[in-house]
Amino acid sequence: MKIYLASILFFVLVFIIFPSSKYDFQMNVIDTWIWDKQGGYGTQASSISENPTSNLAGYKTQGTFYSFPSKKFIKMEEGFLLDYSIFGEGFYQYKKLGDEVSFFDANNELFWKKPYSSYPRPGYNPNLIPFVSGDGNIVFLVDKNGNQTGIKQVTGRFATDISYSYYSDHTIILFSGGEYFLLDGAGVLLQKHNSKDIEHNQSYFAKSVVLSPNGKAFAIHAQNGELDTISVYDLENELIYSKNLNSIIPNKIYLALDDDGSLLYYENDKFTLLDEDGDEIVHHKADTKKVYQTVFVKDGIFFFQSGNELQLINKKGIVLRSLFIPSNLRPVRVLPSKTINNFYIETSKDLRQITLRK
């Protein structure tokens, strides 16, 4: 009897001192949809996730654009380039050296044609489309009808990067001199650089920018003198933290920023996760030093690719799941959905939807 009571007391103490809530349980990743990009067919949408063909515009493959709303392959005209909004319908067509941009609806019918000598750079939402001029010093702000909207245009010393939020319709545009403009879906200016911040006493070049999912924070990667830095700001334009990198990186780097300021970034041969105060949480080895790196964040889950594994980690840096993706399916990018704990993975040959459950 004494042994029995002692055993009960022991387990009670264990559960009090080490409650189960302190442990990170492995996330259950459910494959809820897959689509063959070349064949134009896929599985049925799952009842536990959103319908991909009702939410995604389509994709490009082998000189064609597949439109989910029309269920058609649309062949690109020779000599033209094509781009589209992830959550929109239809596509933009333009020439590399041209003087007009056309928008076609999901059925390949011309909706409008405008005399823009610039390049459309659509993001997730179709409400505001940045059009970058040929010299990169002007970005026109265009609505879905092809007309300039809001403050109509922003200017700076060569546009280097544009980022978009997907839970809101915010867009941020970065110029190499440090000029940046945060806009809403109507082209209204929400925030911009401070004048004193673009009066540099030493060499400066802004290279990368990222906007958080709800547009509540943004980060800028720039060279300032002999240092490369990543600076994270809140929606009030206040600096949250600044991080010095270990080397000068001559190109843009790929960043994933959550609304609380936590950040995953790639530098040379590793991925580094920072918490909301800019403190390093963990490093993960990268298998390649290529410029393009797969990084993404949504619903508090960070993604990055190392080798043939697409890793899902939480904000503590703990790997929740590793998804095997063969090397012949590269490049890989992760796309958001409109619903929580839903994600899309686009490879060179297919589109996949995964749903996370605990």
PDB file of all heavy atoms in Angstrom, residues 47-64:
ATOM      1  N   SER A  47     -12.224  18.892 -47.442  1.00  0.00           N
ATOM      2  CA  SER A  47     -13.256  19.556 -46.632  1.00  0.00           C
ATOM      3  C   SER A  47     -12.656  20.285 -45.430  1.00  0.00           C
ATOM      4  O   SER A  47     -13.326  21.115 -44.805  1.00  0.00           O
ATOM      5  CB  SER A  47     -14.279  18.526 -46.141  1.00  0.00           C
ATOM      6  OG  SER A  47     -13.645  17.540 -45.331  1.00  0.00           O
ATOM      7  N   ILE A  48     -11.386  19.991 -45.091  1.00  0.00           N
ATOM      8  CA  ILE A  48     -10.770  20.635 -43.923  1.00  0.00           C
ATOM      9  C   ILE A  48      -9.914  21.824 -44.307  1.00  0.00           C
ATOM     10  O   ILE A  48      -9.230  22.402 -43.462  1.00  0.00           O
ATOM     11  CB  ILE A  48      -9.926  19.622 -43.120  1.00  0.00           C
ATOM     12  CG1 ILE A  48      -8.713  19.148 -43.931  1.00  0.00           C
ATOM     13  CG2 ILE A  48     -10.769  18.455 -42.657  1.00  0.00           C
ATOM     14  CD1 ILE A  48      -7.720  18.341 -43.096  1.00  0.00           C
ATOM     15  N   SER A  49      -9.915  22.221 -45.573  1.00  0.00           N
ATOM     16  CA  SER A  49      -9.087  23.339 -46.016  1.00  0.00           C
ATOM     17  C   SER A  49      -9.833  24.148 -47.059  1.00  0.00           C
ATOM     18  O   SER A  49     -10.924  23.765 -47.498  1.00  0.00           O
ATOM     19  CB  SER A  49      -7.760  22.829 -46.592  1.00  0.00           C
ATOM     20  OG  SER A  49      -8.003  21.965 -47.683  1.00  0.00           O
ATOM     21  N   GLU A  50      -9.236  25.267 -47.472  1.00  0.00           N
ATOM     22  CA  GLU A  50      -9.886  26.083 -48.483  1.00  0.00           C
ATOM     23  C   GLU A  50      -9.764  25.424 -49.855  1.00  0.00           C
ATOM     24  O   GLU A  50      -8.897  24.567 -50.073  1.00  0.00           O
ATOM     25  CB  GLU A  50      -9.272  27.484 -48.513  1.00  0.00           C
ATOM     26  CG  GLU A  50      -7.853  27.540 -49.069  1.00  0.00           C
ATOM     27  CD  GLU A  50      -7.300  28.957 -49.132  1.00  0.00           C
ATOM     28  OE1 GLU A  50      -7.785  29.841 -48.412  1.00  0.00           O
ATOM     29  OE2 GLU A  50      -6.356  29.176 -49.904  1.00  0.00           O
ATOM     30  N   ASN A  51     -10.605  25.859 -50.771  1.00  0.00           N
ATOM     31  CA  ASN A  51     -10.577  25.333 -52.140  1.00  0.00           C
ATOM     32  C   ASN A  51      -9.519  26.078 -52.943  1.00  0.00           C
ATOM     33  O   ASN A  51      -9.678  27.263 -53.235  1.00  0.00           O
ATOM     34  CB  ASN A  51     -11.943  25.503 -52.792  1.00  0.00           C
ATOM     35  CG  ASN A  51     -12.016  24.829 -54.153  1.00  0.00           C
ATOM     36  OD1 ASN A  51     -10.998  24.518 -54.773  1.00  0.00           O
ATOM     37  ND2 ASN A  51     -13.219  24.609 -54.643  1.00  0.00           N
ATOM     38  N   PRO A  52      -8.416  25.426 -53.312  1.00  0.00           N
ATOM     39  CA  PRO A  52      -7.332  26.123 -54.018  1.00  0.00           C
ATOM     40  C   PRO A  52      -7.765  26.747 -55.339  1.00  0.00           C
ATOM     41  O   PRO A  52      -7.359  27.860 -55.676  1.00  0.00           O
ATOM     42  CB  PRO A  52      -6.297  25.013 -54.250  1.00  0.00           C
ATOM     43  CG  PRO A  52      -6.601  23.983 -53.225  1.00  0.00           C
ATOM     44  CD  PRO A  52      -8.075  24.018 -53.054  1.00  0.00           C
ATOM     45  N   THR A  53      -8.587  26.043 -56.106  1.00  0.00           N
ATOM     46  CA  THR A  53      -8.950  26.536 -57.430  1.00  0.00           C
ATOM     47  C   THR A  53      -9.914  27.712 -57.368  1.00  0.00           C
ATOM     48  O   THR A  53     -10.162  28.373 -58.377  1.00  0.00           O
ATOM     49  CB  THR A  53      -9.556  25.412 -58.290  1.00  0.00           C
ATOM     50  OG1 THR A  53     -10.728  24.902 -57.639  1.00  0.00           O
ATOM     51  CG2 THR A  53      -8.553  24.282 -58.476  1.00  0.00           C
ATOM     52  N   SER A  54     -10.473  27.984 -56.182  1.00  0.00           N
ATOM     53  CA  SER A  54     -11.341  29.150 -56.013  1.00  0.00           C
ATOM     54  C   SER A  54     -10.584  30.349 -55.456  1.00  0.00           C
ATOM     55  O   SER A  54     -11.103  31.458 -55.457  1.00  0.00           O
ATOM     56  CB  SER A  54     -12.501  28.817 -55.065  1.00  0.00           C
ATOM     57  OG  SER A  54     -13.313  27.812 -55.599  1.00  0.00           O
ATOM     58  N   ASN A  55      -9.357  30.121 -54.962  1.00  0.00           N
ATOM     59  CA  ASN A  55      -8.605  31.187 -54.306  1.00  0.00           C
ATOM     60  C   ASN A  55      -7.347  31.596 -55.044  1.00  0.00           C
ATOM     61  O   ASN A  55      -6.898  32.742 -54.918  1.00  0.00           O
ATOM     62  CB  ASN A  55      -8.237  30.763 -52.881  1.00  0.00           C
ATOM     63  CG  ASN A  55      -9.428  30.739 -51.950  1.00  0.00           C
ATOM     64  OD1 ASN A  55      -9.895  31.776 -51.503  1.00  0.00           O
ATOM     65  ND2 ASN A  55      -9.945  29.550 -51.676  1.00  0.00           N
ATOM     66  N   LEU A  56      -6.750  30.690 -55.818  1.00  0.00           N
ATOM     67  CA  LEU A  56      -5.534  31.003 -56.558  1.00  0.00           C
ATOM     68  C   LEU A  56      -5.863  31.408 -57.986  1.00  0.00           C
ATOM     69  O   LEU A  56      -6.797  30.884 -58.598  1.00  0.00           O
ATOM     70  CB  LEU A  56      -4.601  29.786 -56.579  1.00  0.00           C
ATOM     71  CG  LEU A  56      -4.095  29.291 -55.219  1.00  0.00           C
ATOM     72  CD1 LEU A  56      -3.250  28.027 -55.419  1.00  0.00           C
ATOM     73  CD2 LEU A  56      -3.287  30.370 -54.513  1.00  0.00           C
ATOM     74  N   ALA A  57      -5.062  32.351 -58.521  1.00  0.00           N
ATOM     75  CA  ALA A  57      -5.289  32.816 -59.895  1.00  0.00           C
ATOM     76  C   ALA A  57      -4.876  31.767 -60.912  1.00  0.00           C
ATOM     77  O   ALA A  57      -5.567  31.525 -61.901  1.00  0.00           O
ATOM     78  CB  ALA A  57      -4.518  34.102 -60.145  1.00  0.00           C
ATOM     79  N   GLY A  58      -3.731  31.126 -60.667  1.00  0.00           N
ATOM     80  CA  GLY A  58      -3.200  30.155 -61.621  1.00  0.00           C
ATOM     81  C   GLY A  58      -1.700  30.035 -61.472  1.00  0.00           C
ATOM     82  O   GLY A  58      -1.149  30.286 -60.397  1.00  0.00           O
ATOM     83  N   TYR A  59      -1.012  29.709 -62.557  1.00  0.00           N
ATOM     84  CA  TYR A  59       0.438  29.540 -62.522  1.00  0.00           C
ATOM     85  C   TYR A  59       0.984  29.579 -63.941  1.00  0.00           C
ATOM     86  O   TYR A  59       0.256  29.398 -64.920  1.00  0.00           O
ATOM     87  CB  TYR A  59       0.816  28.207 -61.862  1.00  0.00           C
ATOM     88  CG  TYR A  59       0.175  26.994 -62.503  1.00  0.00           C
ATOM     89  CD1 TYR A  59       0.782  26.338 -63.588  1.00  0.00           C
ATOM     90  CD2 TYR A  59      -1.040  26.499 -62.042  1.00  0.00           C
ATOM     91  CE1 TYR A  59       0.189  25.243 -64.184  1.00  0.00           C
ATOM     92  CE2 TYR A  59      -1.639  25.402 -62.639  1.00  0.00           C
ATOM     93  CZ  TYR A  59      -1.015  24.776 -63.707  1.00  0.00           C
ATOM     94  OH  TYR A  59      -1.611  23.692 -64.311  1.00  0.00           O
ATOM     95  N   LYS A  60       2.292  29.835 -64.044  1.00  0.00           N
ATOM     96  CA  LYS A  60       2.975  29.824 -65.336  1.00  0.00           C
ATOM     97  C   LYS A  60       3.747  28.516 -65.498  1.00  0.00           C
ATOM     98  O   LYS A  60       4.327  28.015 -64.542  1.00  0.00           O
ATOM     99  CB  LYS A  60       3.958  30.995 -65.444  1.00  0.00           C
ATOM    100  CG  LYS A  60       3.295  32.360 -65.491  1.00  0.00           C
ATOM    101  CD  LYS A  60       4.290  33.470 -65.770  1.00  0.00           C
ATOM    102  CE  LYS A  60       5.194  33.727 -64.597  1.00  0.00           C
ATOM    103  NZ  LYS A  60       6.053  34.922 -64.808  1.00  0.00           N
ATOM    104  N   THR A  61       3.746  27.978 -66.702  1.00  0.00           N
ATOM    105  CA  THR A  61       4.547  26.792 -66.996  1.00  0.00           C
ATOM    106  C   THR A  61       4.768  26.658 -68.492  1.00  0.00           C
ATOM    107  O   THR A  61       3.833  26.776 -69.287  1.00  0.00           O
ATOM    108  CB  THR A  61       3.869  25.504 -66.447  1.00  0.00           C
ATOM    109  OG1 THR A  61       4.691  24.370 -66.744  1.00  0.00           O
ATOM    110  CG2 THR A  61       2.485  25.294 -67.045  1.00  0.00           C
ATOM    111  N   GLN A  62       6.010  26.484 -68.889  1.00  0.00           N
ATOM    112  CA  GLN A  62       6.392  26.185 -70.276  1.00  0.00           C
ATOM    113  C   GLN A  62       5.704  27.097 -71.302  1.00  0.00           C
ATOM    114  O   GLN A  62       5.061  26.635 -72.234  1.00  0.00           O
ATOM    115  CB  GLN A  62       6.088  24.721 -70.600  1.00  0.00           C
ATOM    116  CG  GLN A  62       6.945  23.747 -69.809  1.00  0.00           C
ATOM    117  CD  GLN A  62       6.714  22.311 -70.208  1.00  0.00           C
ATOM    118  OE1 GLN A  62       5.706  21.957 -70.808  1.00  0.00           O
ATOM    119  NE2 GLN A  62       7.675  21.445 -69.900  1.00  0.00           N
ATOM    120  N   GLY A  63       5.833  28.397 -71.091  1.00  0.00           N
ATOM    121  CA  GLY A  63       5.300  29.345 -72.060  1.00  0.00           C
ATOM    122  C   GLY A  63       3.799  29.522 -72.038  1.00  0.00           C
ATOM    123  O   GLY A  63       3.226  30.118 -72.955  1.00  0.00           O
ATOM    124  N   THR A  64       3.125  29.019 -71.006  1.00  0.00           N
ATOM    125  CA  THR A  64       1.679  29.169 -70.893  1.00  0.00           C
ATOM    126  C   THR A  64       1.304  29.636 -69.485  1.00  0.00           C
ATOM    127  O   THR A  64       2.101  29.506 -68.540  1.00  0.00           O
ATOM    128  CB  THR A  64       0.927  27.854 -71.176  1.00  0.00           C
ATOM    129  OG1 THR A  64       1.303  26.874 -70.197  1.00  0.00           O
ATOM    130  CG2 THR A  64       1.237  27.338 -72.576  1.00  0.00           C
TER     131      THR A  64
END
